[in-house]
PDB file of all heavy atoms in Angstrom:
ATOM      1  N   GLY A  30       3.979  12.313  -1.441  1.00 95.00           N
ATOM      2  CA  GLY A  30       5.300  12.861  -1.168  1.00 95.00           C
ATOM      3  C   GLY A  30       6.113  12.106  -0.142  1.00 95.00           C
ATOM      4  O   GLY A  30       7.239  12.498   0.178  1.00 95.00           O
ATOM      5  N   PHE A  66       6.023  11.960   8.663  1.00 97.00           N
ATOM      6  CA  PHE A  66       4.804  12.148   7.877  1.00 97.00           C
ATOM      7  C   PHE A  66       4.270  13.574   7.872  1.00 97.00           C
ATOM      8  O   PHE A  66       3.329  13.863   7.123  1.00 97.00           O
ATOM      9  CB  PHE A  66       3.710  11.204   8.402  1.00 97.00           C
ATOM     10  CG  PHE A  66       4.046   9.752   8.260  1.00 97.00           C
ATOM     11  CD1 PHE A  66       4.510   9.022   9.353  1.00 97.00           C
ATOM     12  CD2 PHE A  66       3.916   9.104   7.047  1.00 97.00           C
ATOM     13  CE1 PHE A  66       4.822   7.686   9.235  1.00 97.00           C
ATOM     14  CE2 PHE A  66       4.224   7.762   6.912  1.00 97.00           C
ATOM     15  CZ  PHE A  66       4.687   7.044   8.002  1.00 97.00           C
ATOM     16  N   ALA A  83     -12.860   5.211   0.638  1.00 95.00           N
ATOM     17  CA  ALA A  83     -11.501   5.722   0.796  1.00 95.00           C
ATOM     18  C   ALA A  83     -11.562   7.170   1.271  1.00 95.00           C
ATOM     19  O   ALA A  83     -12.393   7.960   0.794  1.00 95.00           O
ATOM     20  CB  ALA A  83     -10.748   5.636  -0.523  1.00 95.00           C
ATOM     21  N   GLY A 135     -13.723   9.073  15.585  1.00 86.00           N
ATOM     22  CA  GLY A 135     -14.753   9.324  14.583  1.00 86.00           C
ATOM     23  C   GLY A 135     -16.131   8.978  15.074  1.00 86.00           C
ATOM     24  O   GLY A 135     -16.377   8.873  16.280  1.00 86.00           O
ATOM     25  N   GLY A 149      -1.739   2.895   8.919  1.00 97.00           N
ATOM     26  CA  GLY A 149      -3.015   3.545   9.162  1.00 97.00           C
ATOM     27  C   GLY A 149      -3.387   4.555   8.092  1.00 97.00           C
ATOM     28  O   GLY A 149      -4.524   4.585   7.615  1.00 97.00           O
ATOM     29  N   ILE A 162     -12.685   0.366  18.443  1.00 93.00           N
ATOM     30  CA  ILE A 162     -12.156   0.062  19.769  1.00 93.00           C
ATOM     31  C   ILE A 162     -13.319   0.075  20.755  1.00 93.00           C
ATOM     32  O   ILE A 162     -13.913   1.118  21.016  1.00 93.00           O
ATOM     33  CB  ILE A 162     -11.073   1.070  20.180  1.00 93.00           C
ATOM     34  CG1 ILE A 162      -9.923   1.055  19.173  1.00 93.00           C
ATOM     35  CG2 ILE A 162     -10.543   0.762  21.581  1.00 93.00           C
ATOM     36  CD1 ILE A 162      -8.850   2.104  19.433  1.00 93.00           C
ATOM     37  N   ALA A 180     -24.503 -23.825  41.852  1.00 95.00           N
ATOM     38  CA  ALA A 180     -24.097 -23.690  40.455  1.00 95.00           C
ATOM     39  C   ALA A 180     -23.276 -22.425  40.246  1.00 95.00           C
ATOM     40  O   ALA A 180     -22.304 -22.410  39.480  1.00 95.00           O
ATOM     41  CB  ALA A 180     -25.325 -23.682  39.554  1.00 95.00           C
ATOM     42  N   ALA A 181     -23.669 -21.338  40.933  1.00 96.00           N
ATOM     43  CA  ALA A 181     -22.928 -20.084  40.803  1.00 96.00           C
ATOM     44  C   ALA A 181     -21.516 -20.220  41.353  1.00 96.00           C
ATOM     45  O   ALA A 181     -20.551 -19.729  40.756  1.00 96.00           O
ATOM     46  CB  ALA A 181     -23.679 -18.963  41.525  1.00 96.00           C
ATOM     47  N   LEU A 197      -3.950 -13.975  33.491  1.00 94.00           N
ATOM     48  CA  LEU A 197      -4.514 -12.648  33.712  1.00 94.00           C
ATOM     49  C   LEU A 197      -4.312 -12.214  35.160  1.00 94.00           C
ATOM     50  O   LEU A 197      -3.673 -11.210  35.442  1.00 94.00           O
ATOM     51  CB  LEU A 197      -5.995 -12.646  33.351  1.00 94.00           C
ATOM     52  CG  LEU A 197      -6.644 -11.280  33.212  1.00 94.00           C
ATOM     53  CD1 LEU A 197      -5.945 -10.447  32.155  1.00 94.00           C
ATOM     54  CD2 LEU A 197      -8.109 -11.421  32.863  1.00 94.00           C
TER      55      LEU A 197
END
Side-chain angles (χ1 to χ4, degrees):
F66 297 101
I162 301 175
L197 194 58

